Amino acid sequence: MSAILTAVALQAGVSTSAVPPQGMGVFLITTVIKILVIFTIYLVGVMGLTLAERKVSAWIQGRVGPNRAGYGGLLQPIADGLKNIMKEETYPGAVNKPLFILAPAIAFTVALITWAVIPFAAPWESGWGYISMALAPMPIGFLYVLAIGSLGVYGIVIAGWASNNKYALLGGLRSSAQMISYEISLGMSTIPVLLLAGNVALDRIIHQQALHGWNILNLTIAAFVFIVAFFAETNRVPFDLPESESELVSGYHTEYSAMKFSMFFIAEYANLITASALISTLFFGGWDIPFTLWDNLAPHTGFKTFLTGIAFAMKVTFFLFTFMWVRWTLPRFRYDQLMSLGWKVLLPLMLLYIIVIAAAVLLFRGMGLEQQRIVGFSAFGLAMFALNIVLSVLVFWILDRGRVISPATTRVRREALEQLQARRYRTRMPAEAGD
Amino acid sequence: MAINIKVLDRPIAESSYVRSTFKGMARTFRHMVDPHKVTVQYPEVKHALSPRWRGTHRMLTNEEGNAKCVACGLCPTVCPANCIKLIPGEDEKGNRYPLVFEIDEFRCIFCGYCQEVCPEEAIHLGRHYENAEYSRDGHVYDLERLMAQTHPVCEMWDPADPRGE
């Protein structure tokens, strides 16, 4: 493991010191400590998020938000949790009980175990050996994320099916269709990242970004598509069709109550944390502190680990806020709009983008830009940035002007449109004349 | 096709989804950081009521502390909800007074006719709205309770002075 790390790090120009790998005992103890710390932060974070969501929604709508339980409403999540634990567990007559109980657990577990591979701080070369700040720093890190991420749909589909309720089933069906559709765009949008990093290990992706600039600057379109697709994956507004209240009561969790219902909420916020962490890792440099390289270089002290951990937490917090911000800004998509956005816009866009980026990477690498630095910046990064500006203007400024997604009026023939408008005036005229 | 289809003349060249999304987010962000919130922290802060607010009744009293009511019977007659119960009595000097005067606030529709019709300006509606009770019986206010109310009374609309309050 450490041999691989050393070799890869040297190739990328990031030096690593010769601290020996940790022994088996140290490995076990550190892993257990990491599990406990992550799990605690995660659950406390979910609690905080339930309050934060209500507060953000309130502020955006000009309200104050929950402020009765504790100072400024800080104890509200605890009050909610107590209430949900005290409530009666109801089982509607026709549910498939084992699956009905299993579904919330799946939804939550899947969101949680994605965290195993996400590096949340710089590694620490301690006195006990090299300690990686991810639970399981696997070389196939990102593939693991994709594999686990696609399991997330099971919790929702099983919940919808086990409830034996037409609305829940429809919610589950929508969710599966939506998740499968957007997973393709999601996977496609990460291919440029992998092309740049030349690796699927998440710590390699972070090192690459530290050296050549964050991917948000080099791959804005991929980042944009990734974020949009992850909104759909987490079933958040504007893609929250599986639980659209106006049509499906509350979708897949219609029949759930008490703590099982709460588990779905915990799962949603757990997914949110995971999504934010992934966005930070893949496009915003992970635990990298911007404008510096010293945090990526040896010696990897505990202090650096601490600082980079804080940087990562700040990035994740920002994206958590963005998720809420978007939720309380945008209306819900219609189902056909959702599907056409996924299949007709994002997927072709990403396929084209991969071709362009692959060609650019090949060209810039061939020119040997990766080893050069211009006034402290990586030449490769600058070249990618310039290309990115051109592509972003093309997509967001030119193609977005009613050319890619257009209002319904453009799909109606010109004559038909004029007919419709004339008809509107005709039907209104007699009423205004007052007979 | 439906008869009335709303066809918007939306300029296609200006309809951008990405940029309008960001515009919307800028708008919500401005609302979020705006310190002005519309919430009224109810039990601590209360809305000011209109002087013509029609709430639970009050019976006004004269200098001796007795109800001004002379049990003329106009208010139970005019009451459209039939919620006023009045049994008149007469003392040794021949003055009429209410033996029983009860208003069922649960039936009352707060129209204000009783205040309008009262020749002695005895019964009034009040500027008051916190009248929750644990039982239906609790909503039947007897004379003592009506006299004990202290909230300000409703100022009726004066037809002679339509703008005044």
Side-chain angles (χ1 to χ4, degrees), chain A residues 21-64:
Chain A
Q22 64 220 11
M24 197 58 190
V26 177
F27 171 76
L28 280 180
I29 291 166
T30 52
T31 306
V32 167
I33 290 173
K34 278 189 279 187
I35 288 174
L36 287 179
V37 168
I38 288 186
F39 198 72
T40 313
I41 291 177
Y42 213 75
L43 287 187
V44 172
V46 165
M47 264 172 59
L49 279 180
T50 56
L51 177 65
E53 173 111 78
R54 294 175 67 181
K55 278 286 186 189
V56 167
S57 77
W59 290 333
I60 282 179
Q61 295 166 354
R63 295 184 285 117
V64 177

Side-chain angles (χ1 to χ4, degrees), chain A residues 45-327:
Chain A
V46 165
M47 264 172 59
L49 279 180
T50 56
L51 177 65
E53 173 111 78
R54 294 175 67 181
K55 278 286 186 189
V56 167
S57 77
W59 290 333
I60 282 179
Q61 295 166 354
R63 295 184 285 117
V64 177
N67 62 352
R68 296 282 151 169
Y71 177 75
L74 279 177
L75 297 179
Q76 189 66 40
I78 295 172
D80 290 343
L82 273 179
K83 184 194 87 172
N84 272 324
I85 289 171
M86 298 297 193
K87 273 177 103 171
E88 184 192 359
E89 298 274 338
T90 54
Y91 296 96
V95 299
N96 186 331
K97 215 166 166 182
L99 290 183
F100 192 72
I101 297 170
L102 187 65
I106 293 181
F108 176 56
T109 315
V110 166
L112 194 58
I113 56 180
T114 315
W115 262 85
V117 292
I118 296 176
F120 49 88
W124 180 26
E125 284 164 353
S126 65
W128 305 283
Y130 183 93
I131 299 172
S132 170
M133 282 296 149
L135 267 183
M138 283 192 276
I140 55 156
F142 188 68
L143 298 182
Y144 171 83
V145 170
L146 282 186
I148 296 297
S150 52
L151 287 179
V153 69
Y154 280 99
I156 291 172
V157 171
I158 289 176
W161 190 81
S163 296
N164 205 354
N165 170 314
K166 53 180 170 280
Y167 299 116
L169 183 62
L170 276 173
L173 277 178
R174 279 184 176 191
S175 166
S176 54
Q178 174 183 331
M179 280 184 149
I180 288 165
S181 305
Y182 277 77
E183 219 148 67
I184 297 170
S185 309
L186 187 77
M188 289 289 171
S189 66
T190 53
I191 288 180
V193 177
L194 306 182
L195 279 174
L196 285 198
N199 204 317
V200 289
L202 290 173
D203 49 349
R204 298 306 319 137
I205 293 173
I206 293 171
H207 275 303
Q208 187 270 335
Q209 292 184 72
L211 285 172
H212 300 299
W214 290 359
N215 283 335
I216 181 68
L217 299 176
N218 296 342
L219 303 167
T220 308
I221 298 172
F224 185 76
V225 172
F226 186 82
I227 292 171
V228 170
F230 235 116
F231 269 94
E233 285 286 297
T234 49
N235 295 321
R236 293 281 292 186
V237 175
F239 303 108
D240 69 333
L241 289 146
E243 47 173 292
S244 49
E245 297 87 358
S246 51
E247 304 141 37
L248 299 181
V249 190
S250 65
Y252 58 88
H253 54 58
T254 303
E255 297 285 4
Y256 281 86
S257 66
M259 209 51 208
K260 289 202 292 301
F261 172 74
S262 225
M263 281 290 271
F264 276 117
F265 257 73
I266 295 172
E268 182 179 335
Y269 288 109
N271 261 320
L272 218 58
I273 299 178
T274 309
S276 305
L278 273 179
I279 295 169
S280 316
T281 305
L282 292 179
F283 294 99
F284 288 81
W287 44 258
D288 178 46
I289 301 171
F291 312 117
T292 56
L293 264 181
W294 67 270
D295 53 315
N296 307 92
L297 300 171
H300 296 294
T301 56
F303 182 61
K304 276 184 190 178
T305 304
F306 178 68
L307 277 190
T308 49
I310 287 177
F312 185 67
M314 281 166 66
K315 287 174 195 177
V316 171
T317 312
F318 173 75
F319 286 107
L320 289 172
F321 169 68
T322 310
F323 268 95
M324 292 172 188
W325 186 10
V326 170
R327 172 168 180 186

Side-chain angles (χ1 to χ4, degrees), chain A residues 62 68 329 400 410 421 427, chain B residues 4 9 12 16 25 28 38 41:
Chain A
R68 296 282 151 169
T329 302
D400 190 34
T410 55
Q421 280 168 347
T427 48
Chain B
N4 279 314
D9 300 317
I12 295 164
S16 158
M25 285 172 75
T28 47
V38 294
Q41 297 288 335

Side-chain angles (χ1 to χ4, degrees), chain B residues 115-165:
Chain B
Q115 177 176 353
E116 192 96 16
V117 80
C118 184
E120 298 294 318
E121 298 196 344
I123 189 74
H124 279 77
L125 277 81
R127 277 184 251 161
H128 180 257
Y129 52 86
E130 285 156 324
N131 42 9
E133 294 284 345
Y134 284 102
S135 70
R136 292 188 172 216
D137 298 340
H139 283 284
V140 181
Y141 288 22
D142 59 9
L143 188 59
E144 269 168 45
R145 192 163 169 196
L146 285 166
M147 284 162 66
Q149 305 283 344
T150 53
H151 51 255
V153 296
C154 162
E155 288 167 23
M156 278 286 163
W157 177 69
D158 181 4
D161 179 20
R163 288 174 182 279
E165 285 198 332

